[in-house]
Amino acid sequence: MFTMIRAIKGIKDILPDQLPRWNVVEGAAHRLARCYGFREIRIPIFEITELYIRSIGGTTDIVEKEMYTFNDRDGTSLTLRPEGTAGVVRAIIEHGLANNPATRKLYYIGPMFRHERPQAGRFRQFNQFGVEFIGSTSPKADVEVISLLWRFFSTLALPSITLEINSLGQPPERQRYKAVLLTYLQGKIDRLCGNCQRRMEFNPLRVLDCKVMECRAVTESAPSLIDYLSTSAQHFKDVRAGLEDLGIPYSLNSRLVRGLDYYSMTTFEVTSSSLGAQNTIGAGGRYDGLFEVLGGKSTPAIGFAVGLERVISILPESAMPLPNPLVFIAGFGNRGLPASFRLLEALRSKGVTAETDHYGSSLKNLLRLADRLGASFTIILGDEECMQGQVLLRNMYTKEQETIPLNSAPDVLANRLKTPNSP
Ligand code: HAM
């Protein structure tokens, strides 16, 4: 006897019952991204490891602890993509997409891989919907991207969502602030966790992001980066004014430093209090320096990514369309069976979702099967009906039955079941 093989920890199947929710969320992502002028791009699921080290940063948790890295047969180090931005920027540089105004706004949907400790809302394979808007330094680009993120969540009617924004400034501003923060933290080093003590020297900003209670208490009254902005202060002001102008509610969060090193200036996160500890449903920011780091021409850019598993877990029923009504054909008898197969094809050609059973079971069994499949109508078609050129149409909710001509059954049902979901 063989033992059963299970899926890997933190890596989930998406089962048929869950797929309608995925279709709704992905459908909204495609529709809204296009509506905001973004075009889809599909990038590889694995790339040269160096791409992620250089873009995300060698001392980030993702690169230090979470990447699925392996050697190709020729010894080249490859990594399953932990996020989409690095790959999209690589593709933009490689194919010169930045030169064409029609390919400066791109979006993607697909799986990402991080070796994190699995828990509710945190997976090792998870799906993101992300957008990247390149080539604009305008604060309006920031507002456009944040507005799309907000509209995506609002369209799906996600409960209890909050948008927080921050500015990390440009590198010289951040450098100046880091020195101020470091002096502040050095005075309180004994109260910081081991991790923060270790990373304080090379990246004191990360301490602001630490979830340990004592570290949070220490950083509660730390100097705020926003107060140290100079060159990018106006940009941030304009982003805030733009959000206010569009009526997008936000709050400032000076702790929002993000876990990836490529960010500068605007950063943002949306959380939902309907989720547990892993409550960030989407996040992003500006990354004006990334193109150069990856060997391209200096190009400003901003984007976000949404964690689709988290969105789907709080998607309200009200966001779900009614399923396409199903017509079941209960065919039996030497004539009834072949006629019902022809009718099945005729119904489907009219866009009606139809199903049958090919084995000519008893009418009782066929009606039971129709019930289990959730059929709205059952067409009963035996030899006798066939000879009379008629079928019995049974409403599965009211149990009422009526006789209709066999030939016109496809049109009658197509008209009766006209739904927004029919093709
Ligand atoms: P991120 O904050 O690392 O940003 O991930 C974005 C979103 O992906 C998170 O807010 C969360 O919803 C989801 N997510 C991340 N890790 C997991 C996980 N292990 N399980 C389930 N969901 C997860 C980025 O990835 C950037 N590339 C976003 C971006 C695009 N910035 C600019 N452009």
Side-chain angles (χ1 to χ4, degrees), residues 335-397:
R335 291 177 179 220
L337 260 183
S340 68
F341 197 61
R342 282 192 295 275
L343 180 57
L344 181 72
E345 191 62 14
L347 283 167
R348 289 172 175 168
S349 76
K350 303 256 173 222
V352 174
T353 307
E355 195 48 281
T356 191
D357 168 89
H358 300 302
Y359 300 103
S361 329
S362 69
L363 181 59
K364 195 171 149 208
N365 281 347
L366 289 169
L367 288 176
R368 194 177 298 146
L369 179 57
D371 247 345
R372 289 193 66 189
L373 291 173
S376 305
F377 287 99
T378 296
I379 292 178
I380 299 168
L381 179 51
D383 288 345
E384 208 178 307
E385 285 80 13
C386 211
M387 264 154 24
Q388 290 165 359
Q390 291 182 332
V391 295
L392 268 181
L393 180 63
R394 180 182 174 89
N395 182 317
M396 298 299 284
Y397 301 111

Side-chain angles (χ1 to χ4, degrees), residues 83 85 114 116 121 123 128 132 258 262-263 280 303 307 310:
E83 58 105 51
T85 311
R114 295 184 195 175
E116 294 193 83
F123 308 98
Q128 283 188 342
E132 313 295 350
R258 310 277 298 121
Y262 50 62
Y263 292 111
T280 309
R310 294 181 191 175

Side-chain angles (χ1 to χ4, degrees), residues 96-401:
L97 302 184
N99 304 326
N100 180 352
T103 48
R104 288 187 197 142
K105 290 169 99 177
L106 303 172
Y107 79 93
Y108 49 91
I109 298 177
M112 308 292 161
F113 306 84
R114 295 184 195 175
H115 191 276
E116 294 193 83
R117 199 167 49 79
Q119 62 181 94
R122 198 203 261 156
F123 308 98
R124 291 182 171 169
Q125 175 175 335
F126 58 98
N127 290 273
Q128 283 188 342
F129 154 48
V131 312
E132 313 295 350
F133 182 171
I134 63 158
S136 175
T137 52
S138 167
K140 292 209 176 69
D142 306 36
V143 176
E144 228 187 285
V145 163
I146 297 173
S147 152
L148 167 54
L149 180 66
W150 191 251
R151 186 166 301 280
F152 177 64
F153 294 140
S154 321
T155 301
L156 295 173
L158 298 191
S160 330
I161 55 172
T162 310
L163 165 68
E164 292 182 326
I165 64 168
N166 190 22
S167 174
L168 298 180
Q170 286 173 324
E173 295 170 291
R174 206 155 52 239
Q175 217 45 49
R176 268 198 308 280
Y177 170 71
K178 270 185 189 170
V180 176
L181 181 63
L182 192 59
T183 312
Y184 173 87
L185 293 175
Q186 270 159 348
K188 302 178 166 48
I189 191 159
D190 304 341
R191 291 172 57 199
L192 296 177
C193 71
N195 212 5
C196 283
Q197 290 183 2
R198 186 178 61 82
R199 60 188 166 186
M200 194 172 94
E201 291 296 331
F202 56 88
N203 200 347
L205 259 68
R206 278 281 134 69
V207 179
L208 297 175
D209 195 30
C210 182
K211 303 285 180 278
V212 176
M213 289 303 264
E214 187 61 10
C215 296
R216 287 193 85 78
V218 167
T219 51
E220 202 58 60
S221 42
S224 165
L225 209 166
I226 296 171
D227 298 331
Y228 290 81
L229 296 182
S230 52
T231 45
S232 58
Q234 189 58 44
H235 183 98
F236 194 49
K237 246 191 204 158
D238 292 344
V239 172
R240 294 177 57 182
L243 292 176
E244 282 154 28
D245 202 36
L246 295 187
I248 298 172
Y250 69 87
S251 52
L252 290 180
N253 178 359
S254 55
R255 289 176 185 276
L256 202 68
V257 296
R258 310 277 298 121
L260 303 98
D261 278 355
Y262 50 62
Y263 292 111
S264 61
M265 309 230 278
T266 317
T267 54
F268 50 90
E269 260 183 28
V270 178
T271 52
S272 168
S273 55
S274 297
L275 284 163
Q278 302 303 319
N279 63 356
T280 309
I281 48 177
R286 230 177 218 289
Y287 51 94
D288 292 351
L290 183 57
F291 276 74
E292 277 179 292
V293 170
L294 294 181
K297 257 194 358 222
S298 167
T299 309
I302 180 161
F304 68 68
V306 169
L308 295 183
E309 281 76 4
R310 294 181 191 175
V311 168
I312 280 153
S313 73
I314 53 168
L315 187 71
E317 274 312 310
S318 61
M320 297 296 296
L322 293 173
N324 270 344
L326 171 72
V327 175
F328 185 83
I329 307 180
F332 47 89
N334 289 341
R335 291 177 179 220
L337 260 183
S340 68
F341 197 61
R342 282 192 295 275
L343 180 57
L344 181 72
E345 191 62 14
L347 283 167
R348 289 172 175 168
S349 76
K350 303 256 173 222
V352 174
T353 307
E355 195 48 281
T356 191
D357 168 89
H358 300 302
Y359 300 103
S361 329
S362 69
L363 181 59
K364 195 171 149 208
N365 281 347
L366 289 169
L367 288 176
R368 194 177 298 146
L369 179 57
D371 247 345
R372 289 193 66 189
L373 291 173
S376 305
F377 287 99
T378 296
I379 292 178
I380 299 168
L381 179 51
D383 288 345
E384 208 178 307
E385 285 80 13
C386 211
M387 264 154 24
Q388 290 165 359
Q390 291 182 332
V391 295
L392 268 181
L393 180 63
R394 180 182 174 89
N395 182 317
M396 298 299 284
Y397 301 111
T398 63
K399 311 288 179 216
E400 280 166 16
Q401 291 192 170

